Amino acid sequence: MELLNAISSRRAIRSYKDTSVEDFQLEQILKAGCAAPVGKSLYENLRITVVKDKEILHSISEGLKMNMKVDFDPLYNAPALILVSTKKMPFPNIEYADAGCIMQNMMLEATEQGLGSVVIWGSSMVVNAVPDLKKALQIPDDYTAVSGIVVGYANEKVEPKELGLSIHVDII
């Protein structure tokens, strides 16, 4: 797939088939995430955690349901959640920029692999709020989950959209 085609085809997918993501697909997605630019190249301050365990996914979903006060699955039945965690960084809030770059690379690669994805920012809040969950995910105490995405086979067909300037742009 061509880059602009992947960009124009990527959508926030909120309904997934009950089908596991293949290991080779996850590996490509993770490699794309690891290729993202990171402030001061502090890659050693970041961690990526892939959650495929159904019990842990259920626990995170239940925590999100309580926080969001909803009665649907906030992970959208996706078979995998990918969390980005970070140590304290030397520049205020750069961890959010780093996580955004990592997640966008992973979502574009998921699109390339024929998978859907969507950002699940609240997943990090649930993980950080439940010490036993953070421990089960092997996230060290000096790391904080920043955000996450889910990936899986979409229940809907996605067509590329025409690219345009949908955000106000000033060229000075």
Side-chain angles (χ1 to χ4, degrees), residues 131-142:
D132 287 342
L133 187 53
K134 189 174 174 182
K135 185 175 181 173
L137 294 172
Q138 301 174 15
I139 299 173
D141 290 338
D142 57 340

Side-chain angles (χ1 to χ4, degrees), residues 72-93:
F72 63 88
D73 177 7
L75 298 181
Y76 307 108
N77 196 42
L81 168 68
I82 304 174
L83 292 165
V84 177
S85 302
T86 180
K87 282 185 177 181
K88 181 133 179 75
M89 294 296 218
F91 311 105
N93 300 317

